[in-house]
Amino acid sequence: MTRTVHPALIAFTALVFLFLLAPLLIIIGAAFSDTTYLTFPPQGLTLRWFSNIFQIEAFRTTAITSLELALLGTALSLLIGIPAAYAISRHRIELPRWLSTLFVLPILVPEIVFGFSLMKSITIGLGLPIFPSLLIGHALLVLPYSVRVVSASLASFDFSIEEAAISLGCPPLKAFLTVVLPNIRAGVIAAFILAFITSINDVSVSVFLTGPGISTLPIQILAHMEQFFDPTIASVSVLLMLVTVAVMAIVEATLGLTFLTK
Amino acid sequence: MKHLVKWGLATPAILAVTLFLLVPVIITIAATFGEAKGVFAPYIAFFSSGFRRTVLFRTVEIALITTAISLIIGFIAAYVIAQMPGRAKSLMIIAAVFPLLTGVVVRSFAWLIILGKNGILNTMLLSIGVINEPLSMLYTEGSVIVAMVYLFVPLMILTLVGVLEGIPEDLIQAATSLGATPAATFRQVILPLATPGLIVGAVLVFTGSFTSYATPQLLGGEKQMMMGTFLYQRAMVTFDWVGASTIAAIMVVVTIGIVAIMSRIARRLNPMAV
């Protein structure tokens, strides 16, 4: 629906977008400032805060941990989430209703409560090492995206195509891989991206599960911020924004960004 | 056989949620009732402490104010976005998605630079002579609310744009041609149809801000402690696990209670939805 909108509303919306984007521009400016304290507008231009990131080993190791967690955790969640989504969509009538509710729980339970409970039960209770604990936490944190986004794309899939393949002698697993999966590709990509972004930015779950020697990038940024208030944090933030830009470019190229409003 | 297959496919995920989410959270909550001092002792201790009550009420208050402001700002922006022609609309959606995909730590950090003692806002106000010495804006309720609204407005916009786009143009034209003023059309056509979206948005923002950790930690500090930071502090700084579990239980009850109440309201307003 395209209609004329009152100029006051347009002006207000422009202000909202200024509010949304100005803080990010300020971070970018501060990252290039040739001062030892955070300031905006930048005084002089330098890249030394960016090179400083690579001098600090903690940023390097935690960035690698965060990437590993996001990739492995998302992969794990898809590995168990896609079959669950398939079962729910294919056998909706025969399966109980609580089943789909179960997979919303990781969203419903506050992240901070989830992180604390998981630490008590598996890190302390079962004595699991830090990395596997973090991995379990991240995989579960993003599981709702895998199940729900993939279910949503299965909802518009015509299962009779799969049945035709099977009745013509195709083994069920092969039918799934060659008939169903290519048709829900967009949903799987969307689930992957949302899960990846959620995992890489997570603080509330990770804060309990990190420990001596292993931490994630956002937790490291928080810790660094409490000790030093210099432009290094701004330059790390700029690098994280570049990751966001890359992700948005992938979404735009594969699904179109409007899918996020659906 | 077929029965086995359909359950078998869902089993790994069911097991994962049960073992690593349901059971740990239930154990955490159950642990608060096993106290020697009495079944409800941790809760009596929580509510009889003025400080702890203040933290809970402050958290509810900040979450409510954040939700109200995000609803108003987000609704207006989403309404304007929904009316825009194709290209402008996608640009605006990209601009709203970008902050959303940028992490909470980065976005809260931005407000530290803006609101700090030597921050941009103070520098600006000093240079134009509005104030004579820098204001302490950090570690106030206001700074937490501004940062929270900043976190959640994009989420509200994205939730509402889809809903507002889905309102058929015919309905609005019909209302107008029958003599409804723009205000009446808004009140009697657009607002009721947007209500399910407003409720979903409100639930997301309220639960998100009620349970947040990083933002109150950075912008509120000890002075404006909220439930999330309080839970962390109890668990990892003072090692009072019963106290931390009690906070966790209260957070779960409030969150699930709000979701239940709001979805009931949504169902009453619009029996077709949910």
Side-chain angles (χ1 to χ4, degrees):
Chain A
M1 51 177 190
T2 306
R3 255 174 307 128
T4 49
V5 184
H6 197 282
L9 291 180
I10 295 182
F12 182 86
T13 306
L15 285 178
V16 172
F17 277 99
L18 183 70
F19 170 69
L20 288 182
L21 299 175
L24 300 177
L25 291 176
I26 287 169
I27 293 181
I28 297 173
F32 292 97
S33 180
D34 195 9
T35 46
T36 51
Y37 52 92
L38 279 158
T39 185
F40 185 90
Q43 326 228 308
L45 286 176
T46 177
L47 284 173
R48 74 181 152 116
W49 301 113
F50 285 91
S51 67
N52 196 34
I53 305 173
F54 299 96
Q55 310 293 318
I56 302 172
E57 208 202 323
F59 281 129
R60 213 167 42 227
T61 52
T62 54
I64 293 170
T65 309
S66 278
L67 272 177
E68 286 172 352
L69 278 176
L71 287 173
L72 284 174
T74 303
L76 267 179
S77 82
L78 284 170
L79 200 65
I80 60 174
I82 293 175
Y86 176 86
I88 291 172
S89 318
R90 182 80 177 81
H91 306 284
R92 189 170 290 281
I93 307 135
E94 302 126 80
L95 288 171
R97 278 189 67 181
W98 57 258
L99 196 58
S100 27
T101 316
L102 185 75
F103 297 116
V104 196
L105 277 180
I107 293 182
L108 216 55
V109 172
E111 266 185 55
I112 192 105
V113 173
F114 171 47
F116 171 59
S117 307
L118 203 58
M119 172 205 69
K120 272 199 343 179
S121 59
I122 64 167
T123 319
I124 313 276
L126 299 179
L128 215 62
I130 292 169
F131 190 81
S133 304
L134 270 171
L135 188 56
I136 290 176
H138 280 242
L140 269 171
L141 178 70
V142 303
L143 182 65
Y145 294 109
S146 303
V147 178
R148 292 181 66 81
V149 177
V150 174
S151 301
S153 57
L154 277 169
S156 56
F157 175 72
D158 182 1
F159 283 101
S160 60
I161 307 172
E162 189 198 15
E163 272 163 28
I166 293 172
S167 70
L168 289 170
C170 182
L173 182 64
K174 194 179 174 202
F176 178 79
L177 294 176
T178 56
V179 179
V180 184
L181 208 51
N183 275 293
I184 56 163
R185 198 178 52 223
V188 176
I189 296 172
F192 185 91
I193 288 167
L194 290 174
F196 183 87
I197 286 288
T198 307
S199 166
I200 205 131
N201 286 320
D202 173 74
V203 175
S204 300
V205 172
S206 310
V207 78
F208 288 104
L209 302 171
T210 48
I214 299 185
S215 187
T216 65
L217 189 56
I219 305 290
Q220 173 61 29
I221 295 176
L222 272 178
H224 187 92
M225 233 186 287
E226 274 161 17
Q227 286 178 35
F228 318 94
F229 203 64
D230 65 19
T232 313
I233 295 296
S235 54
V236 179
S237 304
V238 170
L239 291 187
L240 282 173
M241 281 188 233
L242 287 176
V243 174
T244 306
V245 172
V247 166
M248 287 179 75
I250 299 171
V251 177
E252 181 59 34
T254 50
L255 311 159
L257 276 163
T258 45
F259 108 88
L260 287 160
T261 61
K262 301 235 160 69
Chain B
M1 177 62 197
K2 210 180 159 206
H3 204 66
L4 208 74
V5 168
K6 74 189 177 204
W7 277 104
L9 288 172
T11 302
I14 296 173
L15 276 180
V17 174
T18 311
L19 287 181
F20 297 121
L21 183 89
L22 271 182
V23 171
V25 171
I26 289 171
I27 290 176
T28 296
I29 295 176
T32 60
F33 295 107
E35 283 297 286
K37 283 169 254 163
V39 178
F40 296 107
Y43 295 92
I44 295 166
F46 186 94
F47 285 102
S48 54
S49 152
F51 174 72
R52 296 180 208 187
R53 274 201 311 267
T54 309
V55 174
L56 176 61
F57 293 151
R58 178 189 297 132
T59 311
V60 172
E61 186 191 328
I62 290 179
L64 281 176
I65 297 174
T66 302
T67 309
I69 299 175
S70 305
L71 270 175
I72 297 168
I73 298 181
F75 186 85
I76 296 174
Y79 178 77
V80 172
I81 294 172
Q83 315 302 322
M84 286 287 155
R87 180 138 186 84
K89 188 191 284 177
S90 5
L91 277 176
M92 287 168 106
I93 290 175
I94 290 173
V97 171
F98 186 74
L100 195 67
L101 294 183
T102 310
V104 171
V105 173
V106 171
R107 285 191 288 160
S108 307
F109 165 67
W111 289 97
L112 281 180
I113 313 183
I114 298 172
L115 300 174
K117 259 241 149 65
N118 302 311
I120 295 153
L121 203 57
N122 266 325
T123 317
M124 249 169 56
L125 293 175
L126 281 171
S127 68
I128 54 172
V130 178
I131 50 171
N132 292 320
E133 49 188 275
L135 303 169
S136 318
M137 286 175 283
L138 285 181
Y139 316 118
T140 61
E141 206 171 286
S143 63
V144 180
I145 292 172
V146 169
M148 292 270 200
V149 168
Y150 182 64
L151 285 186
F152 290 111
V153 161
L155 191 62
M156 190 67 96
I157 292 178
L158 286 183
T159 310
L160 291 176
V161 166
V163 175
L164 290 171
E165 274 184 328
I167 297 177
E169 179 58 23
D170 302 357
L171 281 181
I172 292 155
Q173 276 172 4
T176 314
S177 69
L178 289 169
T181 61
T185 311
F186 175 77
R187 240 190 3 259
Q188 293 174 17
V189 180
I190 298 174
L191 201 56
L193 288 171
T195 302
L198 288 167
I199 287 176
V200 171
V203 167
L204 289 176
V205 176
F206 183 87
T207 54
S209 44
F210 182 76
T211 62
S212 61
Y213 164 75
T215 308
Q217 161 94 349
L218 284 172
L219 292 146
E222 293 276 308
K223 273 205 287 185
Q224 301 296 329
M225 197 182 283
M226 288 173 67
M227 291 292 270
T229 20
F230 195 26
L231 165 54
Y232 179 80
Q233 196 232 35
R234 284 276 128 179
M236 307 301 268
V237 182
T238 54
F239 297 107
D240 169 15
W241 281 16
V242 174
S245 303
T246 311
I247 298 168
I250 296 172
M251 288 176 83
V252 170
V253 168
V254 171
T255 310
I256 292 180
I258 287 288
V259 173
I261 293 170
M262 293 303 244
S263 56
R264 173 161 291 188
I265 294 175
R267 219 168 298 148
R268 181 165 304 168
L269 289 172
N270 185 350
M272 305 294 282
V274 191

